[in-house]
Amino acid sequence: MARGINKVILVGNLGQDPETRYMPSGGAVTNVTIATSETWKDKQSGQAQERTEWHRVVFFNRLAEIAGEYLKKGSKVYVEGSLRTRKWQNKEGVDQYTTEIVAAEMQMLDSRGGSGGGSASDSYGDDGYGSQQAPQAAAPRRAPPAQSAPQQQNRAPAPQPAQNPPAGFDDFDDDIPF
């Protein structure tokens, strides 16, 4: 039997400023809410309709620090991650369940000072839900500095930073049977 896929991709706006806390281990945890909206025209009345969906997103470690520092209420953001449901107890001791998106990658879509948005990714393991290994977040991707000296002949060219995905970007393999 084939393995399942747990992947979420969101493009939306933050509903409030990020909340960053630190675990006893020292790792950062940042929580945000992201609003996604869809609009359509009602077939019967002809009126424009809109539905907004709110998503809880949690970032861990370096990715949490980046999100906490650079995002703010209203920021447009691209997030990739997976759904996770966790169990907790309220003040009365009653079990509660929360489903949220554990972010693995984040890209800021708002321009800042005329430059494009930055991005960060996280190859995650210990996401606070019982996994074994701590996440290792990458710093925002930046263009390599300009070189003033000519390169050596036998040297491989420097890797180029990944470009922002175009609108409608789809990284799913089309050859996977469902």
Side-chain angles (χ1 to χ4, degrees), residues 26-47:
V29 179
T30 298
N31 290 295
V32 299
T33 54
I34 297 177
T36 57
S37 297
E38 62 177 314
T39 58
W40 71 94
K41 191 179 230 181
D42 187 274
K43 291 180 181 178
Q44 294 177 353
S45 67
Q47 297 288 323

Side-chain angles (χ1 to χ4, degrees), residues 61-77:
N61 296 321
R62 182 66 184 133
L63 194 56
E65 293 172 358
I66 293 167
E69 183 176 346
Y70 292 105
L71 298 178
K72 63 182 189 296
K73 180 179 179 178
S75 295
K76 190 171 202 71
V77 66

Side-chain angles (χ1 to χ4, degrees), residues 9-122:
I9 298 175
L10 296 175
V11 176
N13 297 85
L14 266 67
Q16 60 191 32
D17 288 336
E19 296 176 10
T20 302
R21 298 180 318 267
Y22 289 87
M23 297 183 282
S25 64
V29 179
T30 298
N31 290 295
V32 299
T33 54
I34 297 177
T36 57
S37 297
E38 62 177 314
T39 58
W40 71 94
K41 191 179 230 181
D42 187 274
K43 291 180 181 178
Q44 294 177 353
S45 67
Q47 297 288 323
Q49 301 289 320
E50 181 177 14
R51 177 177 30 235
T52 301
E53 204 61 49
W54 289 94
H55 312 274
R56 295 174 183 256
V57 180
V58 62
F59 299 93
F60 289 97
N61 296 321
R62 182 66 184 133
L63 194 56
E65 293 172 358
I66 293 167
E69 183 176 346
Y70 292 105
L71 298 178
K72 63 182 189 296
K73 180 179 179 178
S75 295
K76 190 171 202 71
V77 66
Y78 168 92
V79 172
E80 277 188 35
S82 59
L83 285 175
R84 197 69 52 93
T85 301
R86 61 184 169 92
K87 179 179 168 182
W88 54 281
Q89 290 186 343
N90 64 15
K91 294 177 183 177
E92 292 80 32
V94 178
D95 289 346
Q96 301 285 313
Y97 295 88
T98 300
T99 300
E100 54 200 0
I101 296 154
V102 177
E105 292 188 39
M106 180 266 295
Q107 185 158 355
M108 295 166 273
L109 299 178
D110 292 327
S111 63
R112 183 175 177 157
S115 65
S119 67
S121 66
D122 179 18

